[in-house]
Amino acid sequence: MSRERLYLFDTTLRDGAQTNGVDFTLADKLTIARMLDELGVDYVEAGYPGANPIDTAFFAEKHPARAKITAFGMTRRPGRSASNDPGLAALLAAEADAICFVAKSWDYHVRVALETTEEENLASIRDSVRAAKAKGREVLLDCEHFFDGYKANPAYALACAKAAYDEGARWVVLCDTNGGTLPHEVEKIVGEVCKQIPGDHVGIHAHNDTEQAVANSFAAVRAGARQIQGTLNGLGERCGNANLVSIIPTLKLKPDFAKNFDIGVSDEALGTLARVSHALDDLLNRAADRHAPYVGESAFATKAGIHASAIMKEPKTYEHVAPELVGNRRKLLVSDQSGRSNLLAELDRIGFAVDKDDPRLSRLLDEVKEREAIGYAYEAADASFELLARRLLGKVPRYFDVEKFDVNVEQRLNAKGERVSVSQAVVKVKVGDELLISAAEGNGPVNALDLALRKDLGKYQSYITGLELTDYRVRILNAGTEAVTRVLIESADETGDHWTTIGVSANIIDASFQALMDSIVYKLVKSGAPA
Ligand SMILES: [Zn+2]
């Protein structure tokens, strides 16, 4: 049986750019567009040409993309002709493969927000679609507030959609702009629309305000829609848009969708999904959601000992799909609850073949338990666990010694009479016979220490140039009778790998120092630096 084509439309660079705290540069936009194209989405909606300099510059660049680069903008303004609307002119002038217009489809909004007549709004849709078609562009119409509009006045909401379709728009996209519509409502309404407009011309644009944007997208597909709009990692204002990172693997791996539909994402590209998702977080300089479906670090993590031994025997027992299909990996957590089976599985994953009766295994397990009792949490710090295991089971080269370090925080008044803090660190490192002294200033004591530590490692310096700290988390714990500080540091390198290290101490600088050291040593081990 032949499968139907389902199209993916990404709006990370347009609707996703509305996210609080997200501000894409031109370079960010170009990078993300390339990532999306390589992933295999069909449309990359990149912004509003003419509305701001970055978007205008984006469309001025050449885009050797397979995906259709799409420009977004409004239909012509009420009361103006299509040829006499500067906003529309800028949109039509942009070097885009497709143009996505947004128009009102709720009669209430037409009256109150647009302050025009229902008929003039329909004429604006028709004129704008016609003008873009005349320019040779593929045309989409986003029907804003479609579901709320349909509930209030189904005939008018449908008339807006029909006006675009009849004028030759390739897609009419039904938007749940406020994000409050539920899956059963989406399914019913999209089903009604598909009686008037063929489903292979109907798209869904869902927002996540009831945490059902993904479910709403699938409900629309079940009812006949053949285009899904969404964003990477569900970026978007308020609670976000439908998350393509969850939608793509579901379409590819769940039989009910996979046997009926083809999408532009290849199996190979699916295997890069976790990397793409993390690359976006990196670009936004924020920590990845550990619990994100499919791609989160914990998406295939298991803690309890009995589950772990079952997973080792037969992964399907506790996994809904195989993690490697989406570029993720199985993770068996090493924690104080875990037994030998977890430990063995984790060692196996990092490449240690250890017999289950090996006495060193008991020593490692005891060590992990002792350390966890004083505040270490190895399940959150994979790289520190690996170093601990390597030290106990084999060896880790003594690449360098930190003979001493000195961290200084000074608070004083500056020349303008403002109170400022200055942090400095001096580190004395011995690499072989070489003694190296480095100093650095930072925006805080840990930052200064990190900079000084990584400034000059002599012959090892070239191995750590791509090392970058991506997250730093601190918790104060009560371990036994004393309060201690637990520091978790997340690092990344030029290959896109991520790892987490840990330090625990009564002193936050000491705890940070341990975690920083583990991160550097881990990077040296992983890069195969010679002893
Ligand atoms: Zn939206």
Side-chain angles (χ1 to χ4, degrees), residues 294-341:
Y294 294 104
V295 297
E297 233 191 295
S298 299
F300 299 94
T302 303
K303 191 164 181 173
I306 44 163
H307 291 190
S309 57
I311 284 184
M312 284 300 284
K313 278 184 227 137
E314 187 47 71
K316 272 189 179 164
T317 49
Y318 287 95
E319 287 170 359
H320 72 114
V321 298
E324 45 294 349
L325 295 175
V326 293
N328 207 342
R329 63 178 209 214
R330 182 169 305 128
K331 199 169 168 197
L332 300 170
L333 304 175
V334 182
S335 80
D336 55 359
Q337 289 175 28
S338 72
R340 284 174 167 257
S341 44

Side-chain angles (χ1 to χ4, degrees), residues 11 14-15 142 175-177 205-207 229 237-238 241:
T11 182
R14 200 275 300 171
D15 231 3
D142 272 3
C175 302
D176 186 25
T177 309
H205 176 109
H207 278 264
Q229 299 202 343
E237 65 183 331
R238 304 190 310 274
N241 286 55

Side-chain angles (χ1 to χ4, degrees), residues 47-52 56 71-77 80-94 99-101 128 131:
Y48 310 69
N52 69 63
T56 304
F72 178 86
M74 312 246 272
T75 50
R76 74 156 172 80
R77 277 191 249 166
R80 289 212 181 196
S81 71
S83 56
N84 185 27
D85 182 325
L88 182 61
L91 188 57
L92 295 177
I99 290 179
C100 184
F101 289 110
S128 306

Side-chain angles (χ1 to χ4, degrees), residues 44-340:
V44 173
E45 187 173 55
Y48 310 69
N52 69 63
I54 287 179
D55 288 3
T56 304
F58 180 95
F59 284 97
E61 301 258 343
K62 272 270 156 274
H63 298 281
R66 203 186 52 89
K68 290 175 179 163
I69 300 293
T70 306
F72 178 86
M74 312 246 272
T75 50
R76 74 156 172 80
R77 277 191 249 166
R80 289 212 181 196
S81 71
S83 56
N84 185 27
D85 182 325
L88 182 61
L91 188 57
L92 295 177
E95 283 292 331
D97 303 305
I99 290 179
C100 184
F101 289 110
V102 58
K104 308 279 183 205
S105 56
W106 186 353
D107 58 352
Y108 166 70
H109 270 262
V110 172
R111 278 195 313 275
V112 174
L114 215 53
E115 295 181 344
T116 188
T117 64
E118 293 179 10
E119 190 38 54
E120 172 62 5
N121 184 50
L122 291 173
S124 155
I125 292 172
R126 283 192 294 264
D127 292 350
S128 306
V129 172
R130 195 181 313 126
K133 294 267 302 178
K135 273 286 205 173
R137 305 286 191 266
E138 183 176 323
V139 185
L140 300 93
L141 181 80
D142 272 3
C143 298
E144 201 183 46
H145 299 291
F146 185 84
F147 293 92
D148 298 308
Y150 189 92
K151 288 180 199 169
N153 183 347
Y156 187 68
L158 257 175
C160 295
K162 276 283 273 174
Y165 175 68
D166 290 343
E167 202 59 55
R170 169 68 185 86
W171 293 102
V172 176
V173 183
L174 313 179
C175 302
D176 186 25
T177 309
N178 294 352
T181 312
L182 302 178
H184 65 278
E185 299 172 307
V186 169
E187 192 156 353
K188 181 167 172 288
I189 293 172
V190 173
E192 293 297 320
V193 173
C194 289
K195 288 177 191 160
Q196 308 286 323
I197 299 172
D200 58 0
H201 291 270
V202 174
I204 178 74
H205 176 109
H207 278 264
N208 204 30
D209 297 70
T210 69
E211 211 171 24
Q212 300 187 86
V214 169
N216 280 342
S217 304
F218 292 133
V221 170
R222 278 197 302 274
R226 293 297 176 257
Q227 184 195 97
I228 299 178
Q229 299 202 343
T231 59
L232 288 177
N233 296 349
L235 227 58
E237 65 183 331
R238 304 190 310 274
C239 315
N241 286 55
N243 185 358
L244 287 179
V245 174
S246 296
I247 288 172
I248 289 169
T250 301
L251 291 172
K252 295 273 299 174
L253 301 175
K254 297 297 171 181
D256 277 356
F257 290 112
K259 68 174 191 273
N260 291 315
F261 300 107
D262 274 324
I263 58 173
V265 179
S266 66
D267 295 348
E268 198 189 359
L270 183 67
T272 68
L273 192 66
R275 192 158 53 74
V276 169
S277 169
H278 295 152
L280 182 76
D281 287 322
D282 271 354
L283 223 109
L284 297 173
N285 200 20
R286 62 184 200 181
D289 175 6
R290 308 179 82 88
H291 301 284
Y294 294 104
V295 297
E297 233 191 295
S298 299
F300 299 94
T302 303
K303 191 164 181 173
I306 44 163
H307 291 190
S309 57
I311 284 184
M312 284 300 284
K313 278 184 227 137
E314 187 47 71
K316 272 189 179 164
T317 49
Y318 287 95
E319 287 170 359
H320 72 114
V321 298
E324 45 294 349
L325 295 175
V326 293
N328 207 342
R329 63 178 209 214
R330 182 169 305 128
K331 199 169 168 197
L332 300 170
L333 304 175
V334 182
S335 80
D336 55 359
Q337 289 175 28
S338 72
R340 284 174 167 257

